[in-house]
Amino acid sequence: LVQDGLLTRDSQVRLLRDNVVIFTGRIESLKRFKNDASEVKQGFECGLGITNYNDIRVDDVIEAFGTERVAPELIA
């Protein structure tokens, strides 16, 4: 269940178990009702696979995030 925000297929994810980061990686697959999805909005259920990781347990929390590059500004 997506509790907050928007989950997209190109997101990076962080797996938390007991508030400790266990794994950080990328989403391998994202599905809704057995169909591939490019994004899932807040309040909807989905299934996801994480690249090179498959030890997901009950009560694990998965945080999705994106990274952006920001060009440095010149100070005159």
Side-chain angles (χ1 to χ4, degrees):
L1 177 67
V2 179
Q3 293 182 349
D4 187 28
L6 179 72
L7 183 62
T8 59
R9 174 169 278 181
D10 61 344
S11 298
Q12 293 181 342
V13 292
R14 191 174 15 238
L15 180 79
L16 296 136
R17 185 172 295 149
D18 299 323
N19 291 328
V20 176
V21 176
I22 301 296
F23 186 80
T24 302
R26 299 196 67 79
I27 292 179
E28 183 175 32
S29 63
L30 183 63
K31 297 190 177 226
R32 278 205 24 88
F33 300 115
K34 297 184 181 181
N35 298 322
D36 287 334
S38 60
E39 64 180 29
V40 179
K41 295 180 182 178
Q42 177 180 347
F44 291 101
E45 292 182 354
C46 65
L48 65 90
I50 301 174
T51 304
N52 298 325
Y53 191 81
N54 58 1
D55 184 30
I56 299 174
R57 299 182 186 170
V58 174
D59 295 327
D60 283 351
V61 175
I62 299 172
E63 294 180 342
F65 62 95
T67 55
E68 296 179 2
R69 286 204 173 180
V70 178
E73 295 183 18
L74 293 176
I75 298 175

